[in-house]
Amino acid sequence: MPSATTDTAASAPVTPAVPTGTARKKRSIAPAALLVLGVGAGIGSWQLRLGSLQHPEPGLWPFAISLLVAFSALILLIRPGDDPVEQWTRKSWSIGAGIGILAAFILLFGAVGFLLPAALTLGVWLRVFGGESWRSTLVLAIAGPAVLYVIFNNLLGVPLPDDVLLRAFS
């Protein structure tokens, strides 16, 4: 037979705890980082020139996305929500690793061209994060960037930076 305190605790309505103090600070880390990212991307896209809706310049759509990111982050900072905070686990580091790999891709893209950074990025993502087999990783990491290069450079006429691999084989 359950005790009186157990019955009282079981019948009490469950109300989510409003985050306060440390929990609220933990909840504000990701939105604050997104706010900084959104503002920084907005400034960068502004420098590319916005143009108008009838005659858009290269920075218009990145600027619109930057505003959405910054606005969403601001809302999350003001109203952090009351869902439980996800625990920081070993798998959480994979998000930082993914962002680091994308940053390396961006740096290498300008330095050595598209094919090598894209193949390396895709290979790491498929094998490490996706758990794909070595065979499918190698096939997709080599074929994916090659197909994208042909689509953008040859079919769409979007010039990509001078590529080290293509120079080596030509």
Side-chain angles (χ1 to χ4, degrees):
M1 177 167 211
S3 68
T5 56
T6 306
D7 289 339
T8 305
S11 64
V14 177
T15 56
V18 175
T20 59
T22 305
R24 188 172 178 91
K25 286 180 184 174
K26 284 182 179 177
R27 287 181 181 277
S28 64
I29 293 172
L34 283 175
L35 182 62
V36 169
L37 178 71
V39 169
I43 292 170
S45 58
W46 182 279
Q47 292 171 344
L48 291 174
R49 294 182 299 182
L50 302 181
S52 65
L53 288 177
Q54 291 79 24
H55 303 287
E57 296 283 335
L60 181 62
W61 297 116
F63 184 75
I65 298 299
S66 301
L67 284 180
L68 286 174
V69 168
F71 183 69
S72 301
L74 196 58
I75 288 174
L76 287 173
L77 280 172
I78 294 170
R79 291 191 48 96
D82 51 7
D83 293 335
V85 176
E86 188 171 327
Q87 294 295 317
W88 188 265
T89 62
R90 187 174 161 214
K91 189 169 180 142
S92 303
W93 287 105
S94 64
I95 296 171
I99 293 171
I101 291 169
L102 283 178
F105 170 79
I106 292 169
L107 293 174
L108 288 172
F109 180 76
V112 297
F114 174 73
L115 290 174
L116 186 60
L120 291 174
T121 300
L122 192 56
V124 170
W125 278 54
L126 286 170
R127 182 69 186 151
V128 175
F129 301 136
E132 294 292 326
S133 68
W134 277 110
R135 177 185 292 172
S136 62
T137 297
L138 288 174
V139 169
L140 292 172
I142 293 170
V147 169
L148 287 175
Y149 186 87
V150 169
I151 289 173
F152 279 96
N153 202 48
N154 298 9
L155 299 178
L156 297 176
V158 177
L160 295 173
D162 191 27
D163 201 283
V164 172
L165 283 180
L166 291 178
R167 248 187 295 140
F169 292 110
S170 61

